[in-house]
Amino acid sequence: MAEGRLLLEIVTPYGLVFSDDVDEVTATGSEGEFGILPGHVPFVTTLNIGMLVCRSGSDTKNFFVSWGYAEVGPDKIQVLADSAERSRDIDVQRAREAMKRAEERLKKAEEIDFRRAETALERAVTRIQVSEAKKTK
Ligand code: ATP
């Protein structure tokens, strides 16, 4: 690892999504958004459905991350998530369809697992937001 940088690894059950040295990471923890620079004191936090942003110099990359946790060390952040995609890899049409399905289910809430439909909707909406946050990233 290069001096003064952070190795960011994003891993899901589907495989390794990202592994590279970065200068800064911000993510959505259960207590809200947090930012990590190299040399941070070690800690572990759970992650909500949300956006993770990493910066390398003037280049930023956005990711959708769904649940999991982040283990932070002075020179490494490991993110283990249920699912994660880089913004440019998000299939927006698929997310729109997932959003529609979840909305339809929520209309007949008495017949369904409400929490499951609600989190499916949250994933779909957040994917759309992440894909639109900064085009080309
Ligand atoms: P869907 O109902 O469309 O499958 P989901 O929210 O249930 O959406 P997940 O369980 O979060 O999907 O993810 C399953 C796999 O599909 C993961 O590998 C995830 O990265 C991928 N995935 C899901 N939705 C998208 C999307 N819109 N674009 C790209 N990859 C996606």
Side-chain angles (χ1 to χ4, degrees):
M1 201 200 74
E3 180 115 0
R5 301 194 81 196
L6 283 166
L7 173 64
L8 170 65
E9 262 183 20
I10 305 176
V11 182
T12 76
Y14 306 95
L16 180 70
V17 175
F18 186 78
S19 177
D20 206 353
D21 286 340
V22 300
D23 295 317
E24 188 178 3
V25 175
T26 57
T28 316
S30 44
E31 316 274 296
E33 193 176 283
F34 62 91
I36 303 293
L37 293 165
H40 201 286
V41 289
F43 76 103
V44 174
T45 184
T46 50
L47 297 174
N48 285 2
I49 295 169
M51 183 157 88
L52 180 149
V53 180
C54 68
R55 183 183 62 77
S56 277
S58 59
D59 174 57
T60 60
K61 295 180 179 68
N62 299 337
F63 295 84
F64 163 84
V65 176
S66 171
W67 306 119
Y69 74 93
E71 190 177 350
V72 176
D75 58 5
K76 184 175 177 177
I77 302 183
Q78 186 163 50
V79 172
L80 298 171
D82 275 359
S83 56
E85 299 106 43
R86 194 158 158 188
S87 62
R88 66 176 187 198
D89 297 326
I90 292 174
D91 179 340
V92 179
Q93 187 54 33
R94 177 173 166 178
R96 288 209 180 99
E97 282 162 18
M99 184 174 80
K100 242 187 254 166
R101 275 198 310 277
E103 282 171 344
E104 288 303 317
R105 286 192 190 114
L106 286 167
K107 279 186 199 157
K108 24 185 176 153
E110 67 282 355
E111 295 161 37
I112 56 135
D113 180 341
F114 188 78
R115 186 69 193 135
R116 189 172 157 191
E118 222 178 29
T119 54
L121 179 62
E122 198 182 344
R123 285 197 301 278
V125 169
T126 307
R127 279 188 170 108
I128 294 165
Q129 285 169 348
V130 170
S131 77
E132 287 172 352
K134 254 185 209 160
K135 292 289 177 196
T136 77
K137 296 292 176 191

